[in-house]
Amino acid sequence: MAEGLRERKKRETKQRISDIATGLFLEHGFVTVTVADVAEAADVSVNTVYNYFPAKEDLFLDRMEGVTLRLSRMIRGRDRGESAADAVLREMRGQIGAVSPAYGLMDGFDAFMNVIEHAPTLKARLFYLQQEVHDAVVATLREETGAAADDPLPLLVGGQIAWIENTAVGYITREMTAGRKATTVSRETLVLLDEIEELLSERVLTYAVRA
């Protein structure tokens, strides 16, 4: 369905506010900049900012909804004969091998993480988002396999799958914030994914195979 004029303007306004806010946070720090500062710089009211972003943290982490559901999308999109873990490993290798900004492999990522490092509420939000990723994976596995509510396997396997991404992202974040080149970190992370796969049990690697 084509996007209407009203929806497009709302999307563009939201993006403009987010971009302005991110610039202010990167320059002055998350704690120092207020929502009123963002509203003034964007030439909108404070209420308008809150209409688009319920909390100040949402201004800086506004793209995290896609990250929260990323693993679930990989699992749902697995090929015939492919397990949930295999699909995640394949997709992650593809994106990381392509030096994708989606995994923090980009210039300026160190500045982005520096803002988070000095903002306790942002760090808390990221921790909460990690739990949301885990919960989304577990829910997806239950739905995809038709597992009963008391079946522990979706929980156990989901935890392992979420660990794959969390470990890789943690490594990328640490190396990129140390000032290393994205292409080098990409190659090293691919090796890390191979080592992660070797640690996974056959039960995890063969769970939720698409018929």
Side-chain angles (χ1 to χ4, degrees):
M1 185 178 297
E3 183 181 38
L5 178 61
R6 178 183 175 85
E7 289 72 23
R8 178 173 62 82
K9 286 186 175 181
K10 290 176 65 176
R11 174 177 55 79
E12 290 174 348
T13 298
K14 181 178 181 179
Q15 187 62 58
R16 185 170 63 86
I17 294 172
S18 172
D19 290 345
I20 290 172
T22 298
L24 289 173
F25 293 144
L26 289 172
E27 184 176 357
H28 304 290
F30 183 80
V31 176
T32 302
V33 176
T34 67
V35 174
D37 293 331
V38 174
E40 181 179 359
D43 195 24
V44 298
S45 70
V46 171
N47 285 340
T48 296
V49 175
Y50 279 121
N51 284 340
Y52 288 103
F53 304 95
K56 181 182 173 183
E57 290 74 21
D58 296 321
L59 284 163
F60 194 66
L61 301 173
D62 62 305
R63 295 172 178 82
M64 285 300 169
E65 182 179 353
V67 173
T68 300
L69 300 176
R70 181 165 56 193
L71 291 182
S72 291
R73 287 196 300 270
M74 293 177 184
I75 293 170
R76 294 184 190 281
R78 67 195 184 284
D79 296 331
R80 185 177 300 177
E82 188 175 44
S83 71
D86 284 339
V88 167
L89 286 165
R90 172 177 56 78
E91 288 281 354
M92 288 186 62
R93 283 177 173 129
Q95 293 189 43
I96 291 171
V99 196
S100 171
Y103 277 96
L105 294 164
M106 61 182 179
D107 293 336
F109 186 67
D110 55 338
F112 179 85
M113 291 306 302
N114 185 61
V115 172
I116 295 175
E117 182 63 30
H118 292 88
T121 58
L122 286 177
K123 294 173 76 173
R125 175 65 69 87
L126 279 184
F127 180 80
Y128 177 73
L129 286 170
Q130 289 175 359
Q131 185 60 48
E132 284 190 320
V133 170
H134 173 269
D135 293 345
V137 169
V138 173
T140 300
L141 289 176
R142 286 198 186 281
E143 182 179 338
E144 290 289 298
T145 62
D150 59 351
D151 185 347
L153 274 180
L155 177 65
L156 298 175
V157 175
Q160 293 289 293
I161 291 177
W163 169 74
I164 295 172
E165 184 177 63
N166 191 43
T167 301
V169 169
Y171 179 82
I172 291 171
T173 299
R174 183 172 64 251
E175 298 305 311
M176 289 299 294
T177 52
R180 304 190 64 208
K181 291 185 177 180
T183 52
T184 302
V185 176
S186 167
R187 290 194 299 270
E188 292 176 354
T189 307
L190 290 176
V191 174
L192 180 67
L193 285 174
D194 289 342
E195 295 174 348
I196 287 174
E197 184 174 6
E198 290 180 2
L199 291 174
L200 296 174
S201 71
E202 191 68 17
R203 199 170 187 184
V204 172
L205 291 171
T206 58
Y207 188 74
V209 174
R210 171 152 285 162

